[in-house]
């Protein structure tokens, strides 16, 4: 479904929901019932078709259409059964009992009784900054589920007992009475249709008659039901918040939301990067005790120099169709609270509710974390050794002359990864000093500096981003303009904002047109050219591909288009190796893209993907591979 179409549906249904919430919920429930009935009808029809067709073939009444009917019905039946029988994995976490944490269970029971929610079958503690009620259906779409309450130890370390109570009340608010049953039933129906759509996309027999019938539902029913279910889920988020406000109070609930926002950014940008940087120096995580450190670090994060900036960014983030949760600003407005970084609790919920057993929980989570990350830590250590070698190589080269601009960017990124932002800043400053017109260098240094608490350094970052945004239609212009807009808003420089937003709007339109043109391969003549990447950039790509058994040969070419005159855009084209156990052609390209690092925007093309494997694309693929010096990798046979 087109994303813009989905957004329009959501906007329209949000209007209907505000006008008459009860009527909207009833209509959505009716659509869920219709969708459920359609799946069961398709299940019955495909079963009948399979039985009838098989009997015809067994009695010697052979016909090509009967064979196709049997194969098509069998394929559809398998997809339907997979969609109906949702075998969700159980949540990960360490189970805790009332005997181990009586005060925690007292709080859970007190909140549960006030919400009217069912009692959780299990309570788990994990290592995330989150809490959730996880429903595990035993009978797929038919329900009969077990309820798991999952509480993250970092969450308990960072909140007060009342704030944690508000979070638990919100989660239980989703389960109470008819509200919980309706929401979960609609969720399961929506998930079943989503799984059915994915299963039919991946089915090798996708053109059978049954799929033609189902196409009506995928084209007309599912987009509208999906949008309605999304709006209902967001509406129920507010109702769950209302339950938390009633039970614990708006102040505690609002403070908890803001504390979580700040602490999530602290963990993402400060704590975990610092932990993983230590992988460069040690081959195993045996000495690491992250959760022991977090016991003090979580409350202290609310006094971090960037805490107010992190909260300000969170308040500017708008609600999106990727998440049913309302925005932080909307949730605070619903609670009628003014935003502000809350003060750390004198006694955290973890200390108050787990008591003397907290040390044991920390020890257990640290042990589990070390086991879980051991392989990844070892890989990071090996990768860091390669990056350290790259740094040493470039340091020697820089002593005798200028380093290639692409290599200099690799150097800066490697230093930031291993030694932190301060060390990376030194290398980026050298790059920008030697090449003031190097846009990616200016962009990365600007993004590094603009969030600094020091006003002068922040202003320097904003000035660098201004230069990038005003340099024309380039790959970094829109992002630089958007980030500088946030900086102007934060500083209340309203005299500059109006003019700047005109530039931002222009860069947004240019970037959208450029990306559409560069990712379009079906319309008009295509222009491919040598990528002109440095040998060190290509070497890092080659090293990555050596670890991919699925990669046979790889090619890198540049693509240009009149809509992107100042853009440098690359295509990384991967031809599969021969052998069994190949990764999924639908998703492998995206997984590979996340691990590739180039000094410019790029896309990954897996020639095994159905789009590229189509015979109609063969001339286009041949045109790309014919670019001089395109091949950069070939696996050893």
């Amino acid at each position: 479904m087109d994303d813009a179409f989905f957004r329009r549906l959501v906007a329209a249904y949000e209007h209907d929901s505000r006008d008459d919430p009860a009527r909207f919920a009833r209509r959505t429930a009716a659509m869920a019932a219709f969708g459920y009935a359609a799946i069961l009808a398709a299940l019955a029809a495909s079963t009948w078709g399979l039985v009838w067709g098989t009997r015809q073939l067994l009695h010697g009444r052979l016909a090509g259409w009967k064979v196709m009917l049997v194969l098509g019905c069998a394929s559809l039946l398998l997809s339907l059964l997979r969609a109906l029988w949702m075998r969700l994995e159980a949540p990960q976490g360490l189970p805790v009992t009332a005997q181990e944490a009586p005060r925690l269970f007292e709080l859970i029971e007190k909140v549960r009784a006030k919400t009217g929610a069912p009692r959780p079958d299990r309570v788990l503690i994990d290592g995330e900054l989150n809490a959730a009620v996880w429903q595990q259906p035993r009978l797929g779409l038919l329900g009969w589920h077990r309820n798991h309450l999952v509480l993250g130890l970092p969450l308990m370390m960072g909140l007060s007992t009342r704030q944690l109570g508000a979070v638990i009340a919100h989660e239980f608010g989703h389960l109470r009475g008819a509200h919980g049953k309706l929401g979960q039933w609609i969720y399961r129906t929506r998930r079943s249709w989503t799984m059915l759509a994915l299963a039919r996309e991946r089915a090798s027999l996708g053109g059978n008659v049954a799929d033609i019938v189902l196409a009506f539902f995928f084209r007309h029913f599912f987009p509208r039901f999906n949008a309605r279910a999304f709006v209902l889920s967001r509406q129920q988020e507010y109702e769950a918040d209302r339950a938390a406000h009633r039970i614990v109070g708006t102040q505690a609930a609002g403070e908890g939301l803001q504390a979580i926002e700040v602490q999530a950014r602290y963990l993402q940008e400060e704590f975990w990067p610092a932990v993983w940087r230590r992988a460069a120096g040690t081959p195993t995580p045996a000495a690491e005790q992250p959760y022991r450190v977090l016991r003090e670090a979580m409350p202290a994060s609310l006094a971090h120099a960037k805490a107010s900036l992190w909260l300000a960014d969170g308040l500017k983030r708008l609600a999106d169709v990727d998440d049913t949760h309302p925005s932080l600003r909307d949730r605070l407005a619903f609670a009628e609270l003014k935003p502000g970084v809350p003060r750390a609790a004198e006694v955290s919920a973890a200390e108050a509710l787990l008591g003397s057993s907290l040390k044991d929980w920390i020890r257990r989570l640290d042990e589990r974390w070390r086991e879980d990350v051991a392989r990844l830590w070892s890989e990071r250590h090996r990768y860091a050794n390669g990056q350290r070698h790259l740094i040493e190589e470039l340091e020697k080269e820089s002593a005798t002359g200028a380093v290639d601009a692409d290599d200099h960017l690799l150097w800066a990124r490697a230093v930031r990864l291993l030694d932190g932002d301060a060390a990376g800043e030194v290398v980026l400053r050298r790059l920008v000093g030697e090449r003031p017109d190097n846009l990616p260098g200016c962009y990365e240094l600007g993004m590094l500096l603009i969030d600094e608490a020091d006003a002068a350094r922040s202003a320097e970052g904003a000035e660098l981003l201004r230069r990038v945004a005003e340099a024309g239609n380039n790959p970094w212009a829109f992002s630089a303009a958007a980030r500088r807009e946030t900086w102007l808003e934060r500083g209340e420089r309203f005299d500059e904002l109006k003019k700047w937003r005109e530039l931002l709007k222009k860069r947004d339109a240019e970037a959208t047109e450029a990306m559409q043109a560069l990712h379009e391969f079906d319309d008009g003549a295509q222009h491919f050219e040598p990528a002109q990447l440095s040998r060190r950039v290509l070497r890092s790509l080659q090293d990555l591909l050596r670890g991919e058994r699925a990669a046979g040969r790889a090619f890198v070419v540049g693509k240009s288009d009149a809509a992107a005159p100042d853009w440098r855009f690359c295509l990384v084209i991967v031809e599969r190796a021969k052998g069994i156990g190949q990764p999924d052609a639908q998703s492998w390209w995206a997984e590979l893209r996340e691990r590739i690092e180039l000094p410019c925007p790029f896309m990954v093309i897996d020639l095994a993907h159905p789009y590229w494997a189509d015979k109609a694309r063969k001339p286009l693929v041949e045109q790309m591979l014919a670019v001089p010096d395109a091949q950069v990798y070939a696996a050893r046979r």
Side-chain angles (χ1 to χ4, degrees):
M1 175 173 46
D2 180 71
D3 190 52
F5 178 56
F6 184 70
R7 290 176 185 274
R8 289 196 296 272
L9 285 176
V10 168
Y13 290 144
E14 282 180 336
H15 184 271
D16 294 345
S17 175
R18 285 192 294 269
D19 284 350
D20 192 339
R23 183 167 173 261
F24 180 82
R26 287 195 300 272
R27 287 198 170 187
T28 306
M31 287 191 73
F34 177 70
Y36 184 19
I39 288 180
L40 292 179
L43 183 68
S46 59
T47 302
W48 180 86
L50 177 62
V51 172
W52 182 86
T54 301
R55 285 180 176 175
Q56 291 288 307
L57 296 178
L58 290 175
H59 286 83
R61 298 166 188 158
L62 294 176
W65 69 271
K66 292 179 182 179
V67 174
M68 292 304 298
L69 176 67
V70 169
L71 293 175
C73 286
S75 175
L76 180 59
L77 183 61
L78 181 61
S79 297
L80 288 164
L81 290 173
R82 286 175 175 170
L84 282 168
W85 201 265
M86 295 182 294
R87 300 295 290 180
L88 299 180
E89 293 183 6
Q92 300 299 307
L94 302 174
V96 56
T97 65
Q99 290 73 27
E100 293 173 306
R103 295 194 64 185
L104 173 61
F105 275 77
E106 287 174 11
L107 174 66
I108 293 170
E109 179 58 26
K110 184 178 179 180
V111 172
R112 185 207 64 79
K114 289 185 177 181
T115 58
R119 184 173 284 106
D121 296 291
R122 286 204 308 167
V123 177
L124 305 169
I125 293 178
D126 70 7
E128 302 299 318
L129 182 71
N130 196 19
V133 171
W134 188 293
Q135 292 201 301
Q136 187 181 19
R138 297 180 177 93
L139 297 179
L141 194 66
L142 301 178
W144 190 40
H145 44 262
R146 299 183 68 196
N147 294 324
H148 307 267
L149 174 61
V150 186
L151 299 173
L153 189 61
L155 184 79
M156 299 171 69
M157 291 172 169
L159 300 183
S160 69
T161 301
R162 287 185 64 82
Q163 291 167 353
L164 180 67
V167 173
I168 296 173
H170 175 94
E171 297 302 327
F172 280 156
H174 286 301
L175 299 180
R176 68 188 191 283
H179 166 275
K181 293 176 182 177
L182 174 64
Q184 291 302 317
W185 181 50
I186 289 176
Y187 166 79
R188 288 193 293 274
T189 308
R190 180 186 181 199
R191 181 176 172 83
S192 285
W193 272 96
T194 301
M195 293 178 68
L196 179 58
L198 291 173
R200 296 318 301 158
E201 281 182 7
R202 297 177 180 180
S204 57
L205 297 168
N208 58 73
V209 176
D211 275 352
I212 295 173
V213 175
L214 283 178
F216 168 81
F217 289 93
F218 288 130
R219 187 177 299 113
H220 298 285
F221 166 77
F222 182 63
R224 289 160 177 80
F225 171 64
N226 193 30
R228 277 185 166 273
F230 179 90
V231 171
L232 183 63
S233 296
R234 183 166 287 176
Q235 175 184 311
Q236 291 177 343
E237 290 294 335
Y238 283 117
E239 293 181 25
D241 273 355
R242 185 179 287 113
H245 299 165
R246 176 174 56 84
I247 293 168
V248 182
T250 57
Q251 189 69 32
E255 287 179 349
L257 290 173
Q258 294 176 95
I260 293 170
E261 179 69 31
V262 171
Q263 290 164 347
R265 289 287 295 275
Y266 165 73
L267 290 174
Q268 176 186 347
E269 297 184 13
E270 300 285 338
F271 182 79
W272 288 116
V275 170
W276 281 99
R277 274 198 296 273
R278 293 195 285 274
T282 56
T284 71
E288 294 297 323
Q289 297 178 310
Y291 293 100
R292 182 178 179 182
V293 177
L294 282 177
R295 181 174 184 175
E296 301 296 332
M298 290 303 292
S301 65
L302 296 176
H304 194 280
K306 292 184 179 180
S308 60
L309 300 180
W310 290 333
L311 180 59
D313 286 347
L315 291 168
K316 290 183 177 69
R317 190 167 56 248
L318 300 176
D320 194 35
V321 293
D322 294 330
D323 186 4
T324 58
H325 287 86
S327 69
L328 176 61
R329 182 173 291 278
D330 288 342
R331 295 179 77 178
L332 292 178
F334 182 69
E336 299 181 346
L337 286 176
K338 292 184 178 180
V341 179
R343 300 172 69 176
E346 293 183 6
V347 178
S348 72
E351 293 170 331
L353 301 175
L354 298 179
S356 59
S357 67
L358 176 57
K359 289 183 178 180
D360 185 58
W361 283 106
I362 290 173
R363 178 188 58 78
R364 292 170 66 186
L365 281 176
D366 277 334
E367 289 177 353
R368 181 175 179 173
W369 178 85
R370 288 192 292 267
E371 291 174 3
D372 290 343
V373 306
R375 184 182 62 81
L376 186 59
W377 188 280
S378 178
E379 291 176 359
R380 180 69 66 92
H381 181 70
R382 289 194 297 272
Y383 176 75
N385 284 338
Q387 293 294 289
R388 184 67 69 191
H389 177 75
L390 172 68
I391 292 170
E392 293 171 355
E393 188 179 287
L394 287 168
E395 284 176 345
K396 290 179 181 178
E397 186 173 316
S398 68
T400 59
V403 174
D404 178 88
D406 287 350
D407 292 348
H408 211 135
L409 209 58
L410 280 182
W411 184 7
R413 291 172 180 173
V415 170
R416 286 185 70 183
L417 174 71
L418 299 184
D419 303 320
D421 289 346
E425 180 187 336
V426 174
V427 183
L428 283 172
R429 284 191 180 279
R430 181 170 179 176
L431 170 61
V432 172
E434 293 175 356
R435 297 179 175 86
D437 59 342
N438 184 268
L439 295 181
C442 291
Y443 173 77
E444 293 204 11
L445 181 58
M447 294 293 278
L448 181 65
L449 294 175
I450 198 167
D451 281 331
E452 288 289 334
D454 181 86
R457 287 168 58 79
S458 180
E460 182 186 2
E463 174 62 19
L464 286 165
L465 296 183
R466 182 194 64 77
R467 285 163 48 187
V468 175
E470 292 180 348
N473 180 5
N474 65 77
W476 305 275
F478 170 66
S479 180
R483 190 64 194 84
R484 190 170 188 272
E485 181 201 31
T486 302
W487 180 81
L488 290 172
E489 286 178 342
R490 186 196 305 154
E492 299 183 354
R493 302 170 67 141
F494 302 117
D495 54 330
E496 298 180 54
L497 263 175
K498 183 176 181 181
K499 184 177 180 180
W500 189 257
R501 281 174 175 157
E502 292 175 1
L503 178 65
L504 175 62
K505 184 177 180 181
K506 180 182 179 182
R507 294 293 179 249
D508 186 11
E510 290 172 345
T512 300
E513 185 182 4
M515 289 298 283
Q516 287 176 345
L518 293 169
H519 285 80
E520 176 58 57
F521 294 91
D522 289 332
D523 295 334
Q526 302 290 317
H527 302 281
F528 304 114
E529 57 201 19
Q532 297 181 338
L533 296 175
S534 75
R535 62 180 181 83
R536 285 194 180 89
V537 171
L538 293 176
R539 189 175 68 191
S540 68
L541 174 62
Q542 292 159 353
D543 289 343
L544 185 148
L545 292 172
R546 285 190 190 96
E548 292 290 332
R549 293 176 58 189
R553 294 192 300 168
F555 307 78
V556 180
V557 302
K559 182 181 179 182
S560 60
D561 192 277
D566 298 322
W567 283 60
R568 183 185 183 192
F569 188 79
C570 289
L571 306 175
V572 179
I573 306 155
V574 182
E575 184 180 78
R576 293 292 187 101
K578 295 179 180 179
I580 60 174
Q582 295 282 343
D584 181 19
Q586 294 280 357
S587 59
W588 184 60
W589 65 271
E591 297 168 6
L592 195 60
R593 182 184 59 189
E594 293 300 313
R595 300 168 56 203
I596 293 174
E597 192 170 349
L598 296 183
C600 61
F602 66 95
M603 71 176 288
V604 173
I605 294 175
D606 176 10
L607 294 182
H609 190 280
Y611 178 88
W612 294 103
D614 192 319
K615 291 182 179 179
R617 307 277 173 336
K618 186 176 180 181
L620 182 62
V621 171
E622 290 176 347
Q623 182 186 350
M624 290 188 289
L625 303 190
V627 172
D629 301 318
Q631 184 171 334
V632 299
Y633 174 77
R636 294 180 179 177
R637 302 296 181 184

